[in-house]
Amino acid sequence: MKRPLCLICLLFSAIFVLRMKLMPEPVPDYGNLDGRQVLLEGQVYRKEYKEQASSGRTLVIYLKSVHILSGSEEGLGDSQYSVRNPSEQNPIDEIENIICDLDGENPSEPKLGTFLRLEGKVRLFAEAGNPGEFDMGKYYRMMKLSFRLDNARIIASGTKAWLFREGLFVLKEHWAKVLEDIFPPKEASIMKAMLLGEKNGLDEDTKRLYQQSSIIHILSISGLHISMIGMGIYHLLRRIGMGIKPAGLVSATIIYCYGLMTGMSMSAGRAILMFTLHLLGDMTGRTYDMITALSLAAALLLAGQPEYAEQSGFLFSFGAVASIGVLLPALQGEKKTAGQALAAGMAVTLGTLPVHLMTYYQFPLYSILLNLAVIPLMTAVMGAGLCCMLTGDALPGIARIIGGIDRGILWFYEQCCLLGGKIPGGILVSGRPENWQIVFYLLLLAMLVAYEYRVDKRLSAFWKGQWILAALCILFLRADNGFQVTMLDVGQGDCIHIRSGEGKNYLIDGGSSTKKDVMEYQILPYLKYKGIDCLEGVFVTHSDGDHCSGILDLLEEYPDMGLKVKNIILPDIGRGSVDGKYKEIEELAAKKGIRVLYMSRGQRIEDGEMEFLCLHPIGGYETDEANEYSLVLLLAYQGFTGLFTGDVEGAGEAMMWEYVQEYVGEYNAEECGVQKYGMQGQTGQNSMGTGRLTLLKVAHHGSQYSTGEEMLNKLLPRIALISCGKNNRYGHPHKELLERLERAGSRIYHTPEYGAVTVEKKGREIRVEIFHRKGKD
């Protein structure tokens, strides 16, 4: 049997992952601590400096073996405590690890290994509320971190410290300061991330650019760093006459210390373990097998944390190495040609493509060629950076000259990324593939590899290409079509996505007053998750920030966010009612070449069998209250009816309801004129249908002052959707409103409890899918 250790390690890895899936560990619930002032103690095992826009550079410490001593909403006044001895009785069950943001008033910096007693406010990590949104809670649980302690103040500290680990931290900070002195701020942040694993101060624009261009991996401490530094030291020691075993031992020790100093990330841990096994092979005269070493590293990491199997960093790191070790020989055949670098790039791209699509929901097609230019230059970047770091104190002038090499290469990287982003169709937004697609794709690649390894006669390049093309077709297949309405969880705000039966996409609003950068972190990830890169229309019901803040961000960055917008649709109101944000939307859209349309009562937009009818406002409506002129839309599709009310209230809601009662009768499609894109001047009859309203987007986030009893009794909505923030200061949704909906027989879904809510029409069946519970009704 070939590679028996590899097979054993793979078997154990599979067992660890299956156990996690079949018998998941219970998730601790710290909800009762969220927002409370607590007193706790624990041991410092990691620390780092973090750049804050408001407070500058602050210290963040990580505690393990944490015990909560007391806590109250009023706070703690008594600070006369001493640090407990680790052998004492635990006051409260032990919490694994936490992060503490110190408040800046602490008298001295705590050393690694010391026990601290602190007080501060508990803040839980945010859970994802929408498909595609980054799940911070899940990520930090995987990192075995329970919660964050804000504005932490050190009450008392012990004296015992890890002097060696503390020395490594001091050395890291010293070298970071050297890099800051040599390079401009942006380049210094890149070099610190690349050489020291310090990403907190990384320039955000650069990070976004590298991520979009799929070269973000160069900023992580990984196999390239470990092999270059470790093997460089090993060969240097061997050249000066040191024996194989002493040189290997010294090199492994130095590289392990380097990993500790840079934070020992998962990818660094994998690379250090494989490097050590390589040295052991040399020291014992045994052959080093990369795939066996990779399998052993995976088994050891998954034994400690099986949830790594779902983490993108783990999948990227192991997938790239596995692609080089397994897929590359099958692609290039027995002969090593001049195109080996291209073949290696193709192998890594094909092997990690599912991870790209699972993580970013898009793939930059130009990244294959970009990486061919970027990766070979990394040796020069790291070599020059290490020289700058090591000589910057003694020879700052020479270090700055050497640093010019890095500045030039980093400038080249940036220009390549910017140029690639301008290529028409250079970024393919495919959405997240289904699990079965990923399985079939990987199965086809595995069959190709098996055929190349086991059959004497190899496939020609043409048939290999056809095989790979078939696998790609399966992976990129998008079968997720059909009519769908999704209310996103944007906190205290509104955003609704509608997909027509023809597969075209619309948004109604997109803003939040409680979530910062809602377009970047909630709305855009959701759209890319769905494979959407073009919106036929964006309805802005009114100009309040909780309905349009994300739309404004999109227009300001347009088209850099990679989302095309064909039409912005605003309520047709009198110019006396137009405020600053309304004007800003008009001006930004005109500047970016996006058509602005205005909609008023009776006008319609048609998309195949789907139609929007405007119920409010009347053309030229004048009011001082933005909520009163809020755009109200009736959606009809094959018997499905949905009413989207924005924040309409008061006189505006009364006018809307009067129009519904007077003019909107039984629906007869043949009698209704249809005007695409709702150009002004067209009115006509439409309807709510002959039965109950299918869906109601409840007005004004569930305020008791909207959505009156009479309207509910007439419409009798089957499904009521409410978008509001968790524990919002307005108390939405109000109890009175919920009671009215219950009396109307509505099934109520609100975002704080369910997250994003999707309503689908499948034939005659209406299905509701909620995000938090992954359930279906």
Side-chain angles (χ1 to χ4, degrees):
M1 182 173 62
K2 294 182 178 180
R3 292 175 169 151
L5 179 58
C6 174
L7 294 176
I8 292 171
C9 291
L10 290 176
L11 177 61
F12 274 104
S13 298
I15 291 171
F16 296 144
V17 175
L18 281 174
R19 181 185 177 279
M20 174 196 70
K21 291 290 188 182
L22 299 176
M23 296 180 290
E25 295 289 333
V27 178
D29 183 9
Y30 300 110
N32 62 326
L33 294 176
D34 194 19
R36 296 181 63 183
Q37 193 82 5
V38 298
L39 177 73
L40 53 78
E41 60 183 30
Q43 186 179 24
V44 182
Y45 72 93
R46 180 183 168 189
K47 59 182 180 177
E48 61 190 7
Y49 282 99
K50 189 175 182 179
E51 296 291 339
Q52 300 277 11
S54 56
S55 55
R57 201 163 184 252
T58 59
L59 183 65
V60 178
I61 61 174
Y62 295 70
L63 300 184
K64 67 177 184 176
S65 305
V66 177
H67 299 84
I68 297 179
L69 305 179
S70 61
S72 69
E73 295 180 356
E74 293 74 29
L76 298 162
D78 186 4
S79 61
Q80 302 302 313
Y81 295 99
S82 61
V83 174
R84 72 170 180 87
N85 186 299
S87 62
E88 289 180 8
Q89 181 74 21
N90 293 343
I92 293 181
D93 289 343
E94 185 175 294
I95 296 171
E96 198 161 25
N97 306 304
I98 67 168
I99 305 177
C100 302
D101 291 318
L102 300 185
D103 64 1
E105 298 180 2
N106 296 284
S108 62
E109 179 182 312
K111 289 181 169 54
L112 289 168
T114 56
F115 280 87
L116 298 180
R117 182 163 289 175
L118 308 96
E119 64 177 2
K121 182 175 287 188
V122 173
R123 181 159 62 89
L124 299 185
F125 300 115
E127 305 282 344
N130 306 285
E133 182 181 351
F134 176 66
D135 196 327
M136 193 177 295
K138 182 178 180 180
Y139 172 79
Y140 280 108
R141 282 196 301 273
M142 184 198 63
M143 302 301 292
K144 299 184 177 180
L145 290 162
S146 301
F147 55 78
R148 184 184 296 275
L149 196 68
D150 277 346
N151 298 316
R153 182 168 65 91
I154 297 175
I155 304 297
S157 63
T159 56
K160 186 177 179 181
W162 300 332
L163 297 181
F164 181 71
R165 291 279 301 275
E166 182 66 21
L168 289 176
F169 177 80
V170 172
L171 182 61
K172 174 184 174 181
E173 289 302 305
H174 169 74
W175 279 340
K177 182 67 169 60
V178 170
L179 292 174
E180 289 170 359
D181 291 340
I182 293 171
F183 293 98
K186 183 169 78 172
E187 286 78 5
S189 71
I190 297 172
M191 296 308 297
K192 286 191 294 181
M194 197 178 291
L195 296 173
L196 299 173
E198 189 173 312
K199 296 184 181 180
N200 280 323
L202 186 63
D203 179 73
E204 283 299 322
D205 291 336
T206 302
K207 181 180 177 181
R208 189 180 300 111
L209 184 65
Y210 282 17
Q211 189 178 74
Q212 180 176 295
S213 302
S214 192
I215 63 167
I216 192 70
H217 56 86
I218 68 174
L219 300 180
S220 300
I221 306 296
S222 61
L224 181 64
H225 302 67
I226 301 304
S227 60
M228 179 181 171
I229 297 172
M231 294 308 294
I233 294 171
Y234 177 67
H235 289 307
L236 177 63
L237 294 176
R238 293 286 293 125
R239 182 163 293 186
I240 63 176
M242 188 177 286
I244 292 178
K245 291 183 180 180
L249 183 61
V250 171
S251 301
T253 302
I254 291 175
I255 212 67
Y256 178 73
C257 293
Y258 176 70
L260 285 178
M261 184 182 71
T262 57
M264 196 59 81
S265 66
M266 183 277 306
S267 59
R270 187 270 307 160
I272 289 171
L273 179 58
M274 293 182 69
F275 171 76
T276 304
L277 291 173
H278 195 169
L279 291 181
L280 284 173
D282 285 352
M283 293 162 62
T284 58
R286 302 292 297 272
T287 302
Y288 170 74
D289 182 65
M290 183 177 71
I291 299 302
T292 299
L294 184 70
S295 303
L296 179 59
L300 292 175
L301 286 171
L302 291 173
Q305 177 54 285
E307 291 184 13
Y308 276 149
E310 297 179 346
Q311 201 252 349
S312 61
F314 178 92
L315 296 173
F316 272 122
S317 180
F318 281 83
V321 179
S323 299
I324 292 173
V326 177
L327 187 56
L328 176 58
L331 292 182
Q332 68 182 7
E334 296 177 353
K335 296 180 180 180
K336 304 295 188 292
T337 64
Q340 185 175 0
L342 180 60
M346 284 295 299
V348 172
T349 298
L350 290 171
T352 59
L353 183 57
V355 189
H356 272 282
L357 301 184
M358 289 165 58
T359 306
Y360 304 119
Y361 322 120
Q362 62 182 25
F363 181 72
L365 299 175
Y366 57 85
S367 68
I368 302 172
L369 296 177
L370 181 60
N371 274 287
L372 288 179
V374 166
I375 293 177
L377 292 173
M378 278 299 295
T379 302
V381 173
M382 290 185 59
L386 288 170
C387 288
C388 292
M389 199 168 68
L390 296 173
T391 62
D393 262 348
L395 302 167
I398 294 176
R400 288 189 178 90
I401 293 172
I402 297 173
I405 298 172
D406 283 337
R407 290 195 295 273
I409 295 175
L410 293 178
W411 176 86
F412 174 71
Y413 285 176
E414 183 175 347
Q415 296 308 307
C416 287
C417 292
L418 292 172
L419 180 63
K422 292 178 181 178
I423 298 175
I427 297 179
L428 176 63
V429 179
S430 62
R432 190 198 186 284
E434 299 289 341
N435 291 335
W436 68 265
Q437 292 176 278
I438 296 171
V439 170
F440 270 91
Y441 171 82
L442 295 176
L443 184 60
L444 282 178
L445 292 187
M447 290 169 63
L448 174 61
V449 170
Y451 186 90
E452 289 292 296
Y453 273 92
R454 292 179 179 273
V455 178
D456 294 335
K457 185 178 180 181
R458 292 177 175 268
L459 288 174
S460 66
F462 173 80
W463 287 110
K464 286 180 186 177
Q466 296 301 307
W467 198 315
I468 292 170
L469 183 61
L472 291 172
C473 288
I474 290 175
L475 188 63
F476 284 100
L477 177 68
R478 295 299 299 170
D480 187 19
N481 290 314
F483 176 78
Q484 188 179 87
V485 176
T486 300
M487 178 178 67
L488 275 66
D489 179 7
V490 292
Q492 189 69 12
D494 260 19
C495 183
I496 296 166
H497 164 239
I498 297 170
R499 185 179 65 205
S500 73
E502 307 294 322
K504 295 180 181 178
N505 296 281
Y506 299 82
L507 281 189
I508 300 178
D509 288 330
S512 176
S513 60
T514 57
K515 290 184 181 289
K516 187 179 179 182
D517 300 322
V518 67
M519 177 59 68
E520 181 176 358
Y521 295 116
Q522 277 81 38
I523 302 173
L524 197 60
Y526 163 82
L527 294 174
K528 289 187 175 181
Y529 178 92
K530 291 287 188 178
I532 298 167
D533 60 0
C534 178
L535 295 172
E536 294 293 319
V538 176
F539 297 92
V540 182
T541 60
H542 61 297
S543 61
D544 282 355
D546 59 339
H547 289 251
C548 71
S549 62
I551 305 302
L552 284 168
D553 289 342
L554 173 63
L555 292 176
E556 286 172 356
E557 299 293 328
Y558 190 84
D560 293 341
M561 284 189 172
L563 180 65
K564 182 179 179 181
V565 178
K566 292 186 177 180
N567 300 280
I568 294 287
I569 302 144
L570 295 167
D572 183 10
I573 56 176
R575 298 312 294 180
S577 300
V578 171
D579 60 13
K581 283 193 175 69
Y582 190 105
K583 288 181 181 177
E584 189 177 359
I585 293 170
E586 290 180 309
E587 292 168 358
L588 282 171
K591 182 180 177 181
K592 302 293 185 176
I594 302 172
R595 184 164 60 158
V596 179
L597 303 172
Y598 301 88
M599 217 171 174
S600 60
R601 175 190 291 179
Q603 295 179 337
R604 307 183 191 105
I605 291 176
E606 179 195 46
D607 186 334
E609 296 183 69
M610 186 180 79
E611 182 182 274
F612 294 97
L613 169 68
C614 179
L615 303 181
H616 185 74
I618 60 172
Y621 185 67
E622 294 281 359
T623 177
D624 294 331
E625 296 292 333
N627 287 349
E628 286 192 10
Y629 72 68
S630 187
L631 194 65
V632 179
L633 299 168
L634 174 65
L635 170 68
Y637 175 76
Q638 293 185 351
F640 178 101
T641 50
L643 184 61
F644 301 91
T645 54
D647 274 359
V648 69
E649 62 180 2
E653 185 177 47
M655 291 177 66
M656 180 272 293
W657 181 234
E658 182 181 349
Y659 174 70
V660 169
Q661 292 178 300
E662 184 176 353
Y663 292 102
V664 181
E666 250 183 57
Y667 182 69
N668 186 329
E670 286 85 18
E671 294 177 2
C672 291
V674 172
Q675 186 171 8
K676 196 170 186 179
Y677 298 126
M679 298 300 289
Q680 298 185 49
Q682 175 87 14
T683 61
Q685 301 290 319
N686 209 322
S687 97
M688 302 282 185
T690 57
R692 299 176 61 180
L693 183 71
T694 311
L695 182 150
L696 170 67
K697 202 294 294 185
V698 177
H700 207 179
H701 317 290
S703 169
Q704 63 178 313
Y705 305 109
S706 299
T707 320
E709 186 100 38
E710 180 187 1
M711 183 172 71
L712 286 174
N713 288 340
K714 291 285 181 66
L715 298 179
L716 298 174
R718 298 178 184 273
I719 300 166
L721 305 182
I722 303 174
S723 178
C724 59
K726 183 178 180 181
N727 300 323
N728 64 84
R729 62 190 179 96
Y730 308 101
H732 295 154
H734 290 149
K735 181 181 177 181
E736 294 85 348
L737 182 277
L738 294 176
E739 290 174 349
R740 291 201 294 268
L741 289 169
E742 288 174 358
R743 287 195 294 271
S746 303
R747 298 169 64 181
I748 306 167
Y749 299 90
H750 47 88
T751 52
E753 182 175 351
Y754 299 107
V757 182
T758 298
V759 182
E760 287 184 297
K761 179 176 172 58
K762 298 287 187 180
R764 295 185 177 182
E765 182 185 13
I766 302 296
R767 296 194 299 178
V768 180
E769 184 173 351
I770 55 179
F771 180 72
H772 279 165
R773 301 177 188 173
K774 303 286 193 298
K776 291 186 179 180
D777 292 325

